[in-house]
Amino acid sequence: IPEWLNFVKGIVDSEDLPLNISRETLQQNKIMKVIRKNLIKKSIELFAEIFENKDDYKKFYESFSKNLKLGIHEDSQNRAKLSDLLLFHTSKSGDEQSSLKDYVSRMKEGQKEIYYITGESKKAVEHSPFTEGLKKRGFEVVYMTDPIDEYMVQQLKEYDGKKLVCITKEGLNMADGEDEKEKAEAAKKANENLCKVVKDILGEKVEKVVVSQRIVDSPCVLVTGEHGWSAYMEKIMKAQALRDNSMSTYMVSKKTMEINPDHPIIAELRKKADADKSDKTVKDLVWLLYETSLLTSGFSLDEPASFASRIHRMIKLGMSIDDSESSTAASEDLPPLESEAPSNMEEVD
């Protein structure tokens, strides 16, 4: 019996197994393979039966959902059958969980892909800036909040002929009509200089800076490469006790910063950058935007102390506290330095 079915217990009665041979030889017997195949088949049929009863399946899924997802990751032959048994919270399902079959039945006309987002909790992904554009257009987003989901979707590429697309990665194209494409092109042209300035300031921290179609209310987000790790997967891998650092160097994809051209912060930043790109305020604001988008996009801060000092500086600015005054006050509190008399070591010299 495969590892993902380790919660199933029972006795198998068979008249066809030879008993006068060693256990090692018996395990290689053809009949054992047939028994294994039938056990998996019968188990999936039993799960499908439980699935018909909503309350019973809810209890079953709470206990064994990880096993089903592990089955999708490991068992390529039964992947399609097991994917019918999965349940997820979505942007339209409310407090109830929904199957992928139900998601497909609710899909908008012309929608060819299943959109999903991975994260630490339902609350975190529900208010994620990545979902803004899709929700505005009326698309449903699947919330995947179990760490094993990240491994599962690496194998479950599609469902019912619909490709599964991670909305936190590159390659999400939402400009459908000609008007939208023209608008996107115009925004790209208008923000070309700002994108260049932001990239120069951030340097190696981001691969490129582009105009976004996926955000509505947020000023900017950080997306990862289509074939690299997502922000949540990066967190999972960093938490591994026996992680391989050499692997993470090529799997951690370079981040792309996407800016919202319609946001007032970006509009004001564009004006300041056009006026003087070497302005210290512009640099400070760009770094602040980068670090806040790291947090909202699901990443961890590399330097929390520098982020905190920027926030403190903004608070001082809001409270009209002069930086020079506070530094003078701090220096006044310090005890006076002792007179610089030659030390004993210097006398020996």
Side-chain angles (χ1 to χ4, degrees):
I1 198 161
E3 193 186 341
W4 65 272
L5 276 176
N6 61 7
F7 63 96
V8 177
K9 303 281 184 283
I11 298 167
V12 178
D13 183 21
S14 174
E15 296 174 5
D16 304 315
L17 286 172
L19 298 175
N20 58 344
I21 53 172
S22 68
R23 184 181 170 182
E24 285 76 18
T25 313
L26 185 64
Q27 281 175 337
Q28 304 304 318
N29 196 292
K30 283 181 184 175
I31 294 158
M32 287 295 282
K33 288 177 184 174
V34 173
I35 290 170
R36 176 190 166 98
K37 195 177 175 182
N38 282 332
L39 283 175
I40 296 169
K41 187 185 169 190
K42 289 283 181 191
S43 298
I44 293 171
E45 281 173 8
L46 187 65
F47 303 157
E49 264 179 55
I50 303 169
F51 187 78
E52 298 301 316
N53 187 318
K54 203 175 180 183
D55 295 330
D56 288 351
Y57 191 73
K58 193 178 179 182
K59 289 174 193 170
F60 169 82
Y61 196 75
E62 276 172 16
S63 304
F64 306 115
S65 61
K66 282 182 172 65
N67 294 74
L68 296 178
K69 289 167 184 179
L70 183 63
I72 285 174
H73 185 262
E74 292 179 349
D75 193 341
S76 56
Q77 286 182 316
N78 296 295
R79 198 166 284 153
K81 288 176 186 174
L82 288 170
S83 61
D84 287 333
L85 302 171
L86 295 175
L87 293 177
F88 300 102
H89 285 288
T90 75
S91 55
K92 289 185 181 176
S93 68
D95 294 330
E96 291 296 313
Q97 288 185 309
S98 176
S99 67
L100 291 174
K101 196 175 183 181
D102 290 341
Y103 177 99
V104 171
S105 68
R106 291 194 295 263
M107 275 169 70
K108 276 183 75 179
E109 197 179 329
Q111 186 183 339
K112 295 169 188 170
E113 296 162 329
I114 294 170
Y115 301 112
Y116 74 90
I117 181 171
T118 56
E120 288 179 49
S121 65
K122 187 194 170 201
K123 211 169 189 178
V125 292
E126 205 170 19
H127 303 294
S128 170
F130 292 107
T131 61
E132 292 170 1
L134 288 161
K135 282 179 182 174
K136 191 186 176 187
R137 289 169 170 82
F139 292 117
E140 190 172 0
V141 182
V142 176
Y143 301 148
M144 296 188 181
T145 54
D146 198 341
I148 200 168
D149 290 337
E150 279 282 2
Y151 297 94
M152 181 196 71
V153 289
Q154 287 172 14
Q155 302 300 328
L156 188 69
K157 303 287 183 191
E158 58 174 54
Y159 175 82
D160 194 22
K162 308 281 189 294
K163 189 184 173 188
L164 268 78
V165 174
C166 181
I167 63 169
T168 66
K169 292 185 177 182
E170 279 182 321
L172 184 72
N173 187 23
M174 294 195 295
D176 293 331
E178 282 300 316
D179 292 346
E180 276 197 44
K181 282 177 185 174
E182 281 175 26
K183 193 184 172 188
E185 202 58 45
K188 187 183 173 183
K189 213 170 185 180
N191 291 276
E192 209 168 322
N193 182 49
L194 177 63
C195 290
K196 193 178 179 298
V197 169
V198 173
K199 169 66 183 137
D200 290 343
I201 292 167
L202 297 176
E204 292 296 305
K205 293 285 184 185
V206 292
E207 191 179 19
K208 55 186 173 183
V209 181
V210 295
V211 172
S212 182
Q213 296 171 1
R214 72 181 89 205
I215 45 178
V216 178
D217 303 317
S218 304
C220 55
V221 285
L222 290 168
V223 300
T224 53
E226 203 174 339
H227 304 292
W229 286 339
S230 67
Y232 188 41
M233 187 64 172
E234 214 172 287
K235 271 187 179 176
I236 292 167
M237 294 312 287
K238 277 181 182 175
Q240 302 295 320
L242 302 169
R243 74 177 185 271
D244 179 10
N245 286 330
S246 62
M247 186 186 176
S248 61
T249 50
Y250 64 84
M251 282 307 289
V252 173
S253 57
K254 283 279 181 82
K255 301 167 186 71
T256 299
M257 190 181 212
E258 291 194 0
I259 59 170
N260 179 2
D262 302 323
H263 199 280
I265 291 175
I266 298 297
E268 193 57 39
L269 195 63
R270 185 168 57 239
K271 286 178 195 170
K272 282 183 179 292
D274 288 342
D276 181 12
K277 63 180 181 182
S278 57
D279 185 358
K280 192 181 181 295
T281 317
V282 172
K283 285 183 183 177
D284 246 17
L285 289 169
V286 166
W287 277 109
L288 202 55
L289 283 171
Y290 168 74
E291 285 167 335
T292 49
S293 60
L294 266 178
L295 292 172
T296 55
S297 303
F299 294 97
S300 303
L301 285 173
D302 297 329
E303 297 171 41
S306 65
F307 174 67
S309 68
R310 280 191 188 93
I311 294 290
H312 295 154
R313 206 154 50 222
M314 297 298 277
I315 294 168
K316 282 177 186 174
L317 203 67
M319 296 171 80
S320 306
I321 299 170
D322 190 9
D323 243 356
S324 56
E325 281 178 26
S326 57
S327 58
T328 313
S331 61
E332 281 171 7
D333 292 339
L334 291 169
L337 287 167
E338 291 176 21
S339 58
E340 291 184 6
S343 68
N344 294 338
M345 287 301 289
E346 282 172 352
E347 283 174 18
V348 170
D349 288 345

